[in-house]
Amino acid sequence: MPRPKRDNWERVTITISTEVAQLLRLAAAAAGTEMGAEADRAIRRSDIQTRMDWLMGKGPEPKP
């Protein structure tokens, strides 16, 4: 049964590799959190905001 959505969160469906799914499961189990929360944490730690700023013309090109 799906859990209720948190405030300010949107439900999305993504397809990821088996390796990434296994890593998310392990990280969530180690942290005692849900996989979705762990995925959110991992994405926030990535350079996604820097890349989005660049794509929108609001920042410098991200470093490779």
Side-chain angles (χ1 to χ4, degrees):
M1 181 171 163
R3 294 177 187 247
K5 186 177 82 164
R6 295 180 183 185
D7 290 339
N8 298 318
W9 282 44
E10 290 189 40
R11 185 174 301 278
V12 298
T13 301
I14 60 173
T15 302
I16 56 176
S17 68
T18 300
E19 294 84 3
V20 170
Q22 289 172 343
L23 290 171
L24 282 174
R25 283 187 193 97
L26 289 171
T33 61
E34 297 175 355
M35 280 181 62
E38 198 60 37
D40 187 75
R41 186 176 297 132
I43 291 169
R44 287 174 186 268
R45 285 187 298 229
S46 74
D47 69 342
I48 194 168
Q49 188 63 55
T50 303
R51 290 181 54 74
M52 184 58 66
D53 288 345
W54 173 65
L55 289 168
M56 301 298 288
K58 298 179 181 178
E61 183 174 0
K63 297 177 183 176

